[in-house]
């Protein structure tokens, strides 16, 4: 595990964290990965840590890695191997059908059904041990509902390696309560009756920072949703409780983000943070892509669901992730690189 107390001289490699946020995050991160590939940084990454919707994008990248053709550090078939499968999934409504099917088959949880659907659409019978050892270490995080700790899925030999990639991604994106939990046999125990009960990683940490904090360079792509400001707060017990839970969740997210930014300032590690709510003008780049805040905030507010998205919205979310990543990387990491010619989908823009 990454240890934030290690001195900077012991840090090595490049870590990339992809936040949660349903299909919105999946597509935003796709744009970020697209730009990282163009910059030659995708091939430099040592570890990819992912949460929920970010784990879908990371899972597709992990599955495609052996087929990516890196010439001069840039995969020229990135669109076909990564973008196209992700867009195909974004045309598929998952959350409601999976929930209804799980209700009709009570002996199979929604999380298990979600894993089955991921296997059908994306991963087939690929297991964790099958992930290319020549690529980054992919860490798919989930929340252990039994002890409240973070659970890591990653490539390794032994029983853990036999876990399907689809199951790891489903556990990471099993949004409670409708798509949760995913139950697996404890790979560290000989007792076949010992189970691990897992839910969406965002319950614990929506940024997925733990696996990458020990690296020399830490890149963070954040497509999480902010808590809405309300002038009038309902006073009935049910809706007031939901509001309190939102405040608790918001506090955790802000603490994690604040600690990350402080680590950059104190030079614990180098890197960049970009998010769906950033204002590109704050990066102070004369040649950043045009991204009006009123348009990007609408994209940031796209509902956090695993449901079919219109083609133009898919393209705009990818465009926004691409632009935000470009600004973060060229401001803080790779300052000499040329600006992009335009958005990946210029006709769609941002709105």
């Amino acid at each position: 595990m990454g240890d934030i107390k290690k001195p900077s001289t012991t840090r090595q490699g490049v870590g990339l964290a992809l936040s949660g946020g349903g299909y919105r995050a999946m597509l935003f991160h796709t744009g970020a990965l697209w730009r990282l590939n163009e910059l030659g940084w995708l091939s430099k990454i040592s570890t990819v840590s992912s949460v929920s919707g970010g784990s879908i994008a990371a899972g597709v990248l992990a599955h495609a890695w052996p087929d990516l053709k890196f010439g001069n550090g840039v995969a020229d078939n990135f669109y076909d191997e990564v973008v196209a499968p992700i867009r195909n999934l974004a045309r598929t409504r998952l959350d409601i059908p999976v929930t209804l099917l799980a209700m009709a088959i009570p002996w199979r949880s929604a999380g298990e059904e979600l894993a089955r659907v991921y296997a059908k659409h994306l991963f087939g019978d690929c297991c964790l041990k099958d992930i290319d050892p020549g690529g980054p270490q992919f860490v798919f995080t989930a929340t252990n509902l039994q002890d409240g700790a973070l659970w890591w899925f990653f490539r390794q030999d032994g029983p853990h390696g036999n876990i399907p990639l689809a199951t790891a991604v489903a556990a990471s994106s099993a949004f409670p309560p409708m798509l949760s939990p995913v139950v697996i046999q404890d790979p560290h125990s000989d007792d076949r009756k010992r189970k691990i009960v897992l839910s969406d990683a965002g319950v614990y940490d929506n940024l997925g920072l733990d696996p990458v904090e020990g690296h020399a360079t830490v890149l963070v792509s954040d497509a999480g949703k902010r808590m809405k400001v309300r002038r009038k707060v309902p006073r009935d017990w049910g809706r007031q409780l939901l509001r309190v839970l939102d405040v608790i969740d918001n506090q955790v997210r802000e603490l994690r983000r604040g600690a990350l930014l402080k680590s950059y300032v104190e030079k614990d590690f180098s890197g960049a943070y970009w998010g769906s709510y950033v204002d590109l003008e704050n990066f102070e780049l004369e040649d950043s892509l045009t991204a009006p805040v009123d348009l990007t905030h609408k994209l940031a507010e796209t509902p956090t669901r695993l449901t079919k998205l219109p083609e133009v919205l898919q393209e705009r979310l990818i465009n926004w992730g691409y632009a935000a990543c470009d600004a973060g990387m060229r401001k803080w990491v790779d300052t000499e690189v040329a600006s992009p010619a335009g958005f990946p989908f210029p006709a769609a823009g941002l709105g």
Side-chain angles (χ1 to χ4, degrees):
M1 288 189 176
D3 183 353
I4 61 174
K5 295 182 179 179
K6 289 181 181 179
S8 58
T9 54
T10 68
R11 297 177 182 273
Q12 296 181 349
V14 180
L16 171 65
L18 304 177
S19 80
Y23 277 178
R24 179 190 69 232
M26 175 184 75
L27 292 163
F28 181 85
H29 299 323
T30 299
L33 292 171
W34 194 327
R35 185 54 177 153
L36 287 173
N37 179 54
E38 288 182 350
L39 293 172
W41 276 83
L42 190 62
S43 58
K44 298 178 183 180
I45 294 173
S46 310
T47 302
V48 178
S49 171
S50 57
V51 178
S52 196
S55 285
I56 305 175
V60 172
L61 181 63
H63 190 250
W65 197 271
D67 299 317
L68 291 177
K69 299 176 181 177
F70 286 104
N72 298 320
V74 178
D76 57 13
N77 60 341
F78 178 82
Y79 182 91
D80 292 338
E81 298 296 335
V82 178
V83 180
I86 288 174
R87 293 204 64 189
N88 284 336
L89 186 68
R91 300 182 181 106
T92 307
R93 181 176 288 107
L94 292 187
D95 49 7
I96 293 177
V98 165
T99 301
L100 293 176
L101 189 55
M103 291 172 64
I105 309 176
W107 58 88
R108 187 163 65 191
S109 73
E112 292 172 300
E113 181 61 25
L114 184 62
R116 188 191 68 79
V117 173
Y118 284 154
K120 174 184 176 182
H121 287 279
L122 295 174
F123 308 124
D125 58 1
C126 179
C127 293
L128 294 176
K129 66 182 179 182
D130 301 322
I131 296 175
D132 187 359
Q137 176 73 291
F138 288 90
V139 182
F140 304 94
T141 62
T143 302
N144 187 331
L145 293 180
Q146 292 156 301
D147 62 8
L150 200 63
W151 181 272
W152 295 11
F153 291 98
F154 53 92
R155 180 189 64 241
Q156 60 175 282
D157 296 325
H160 184 105
N162 293 323
I163 295 173
L165 175 58
T167 298
V169 174
S172 183
S173 58
F175 191 81
M178 305 306 291
L179 298 179
S180 178
V182 171
V183 181
I184 64 171
Q185 182 182 339
D186 188 347
H188 306 300
S189 174
D190 294 329
D191 183 358
R192 296 186 63 83
K193 294 183 179 180
R194 184 176 175 85
K195 305 294 184 181
I196 304 297
V197 182
L198 300 168
S199 189
D200 192 296
V203 175
Y204 184 93
D205 172 21
N206 201 53
L207 289 181
L209 293 177
D210 283 7
V212 300
E213 284 182 324
H215 291 68
T217 301
V218 176
L219 310 176
V220 179
S221 184
D222 181 11
K225 197 170 185 177
R226 289 180 179 173
M227 186 181 75
K228 290 185 177 179
V229 176
R230 296 188 184 276
R231 295 190 178 278
K232 295 183 179 180
V233 177
R235 298 185 181 184
D236 60 275
W237 289 359
R239 287 184 294 173
Q240 185 181 168
L241 175 59
L242 290 175
R243 187 61 176 174
V244 169
L245 292 175
D246 283 343
V247 172
I248 294 171
D249 177 67
N250 185 69
Q251 179 197 39
V252 173
R253 295 184 187 215
E254 288 302 307
L255 287 172
R256 294 295 279 170
R257 192 173 72 92
L260 170 70
L261 299 180
K262 182 180 179 182
S263 293
Y264 287 142
V265 171
E266 296 182 350
K267 301 187 183 305
D268 292 332
F269 43 71
S270 65
Y273 166 92
W274 58 85
S276 56
Y277 284 93
V278 300
D279 182 349
L280 293 197
E281 289 189 1
N282 292 334
F283 289 93
E284 299 178 338
L285 295 172
E286 294 181 356
D287 53 358
S288 62
L289 291 168
T290 303
V293 172
D294 60 328
L295 298 181
T296 59
H297 276 197
K298 287 182 180 179
L299 294 174
E301 294 293 330
T302 303
T304 307
R305 291 185 56 189
L306 304 180
T307 193
K308 181 178 179 180
L309 295 180
E311 297 291 307
V312 69
L313 179 56
Q314 292 182 35
E315 293 174 354
R316 287 170 179 168
L317 284 167
I318 291 173
N319 283 347
W320 178 217
Y322 179 97
C325 172
D326 171 70
M329 290 296 293
R330 291 197 297 116
K331 174 65 176 182
W332 300 112
V333 179
D334 204 342
T335 57
E336 301 300 321
V337 72
S339 60
F343 291 114
F345 301 103
L350 296 176

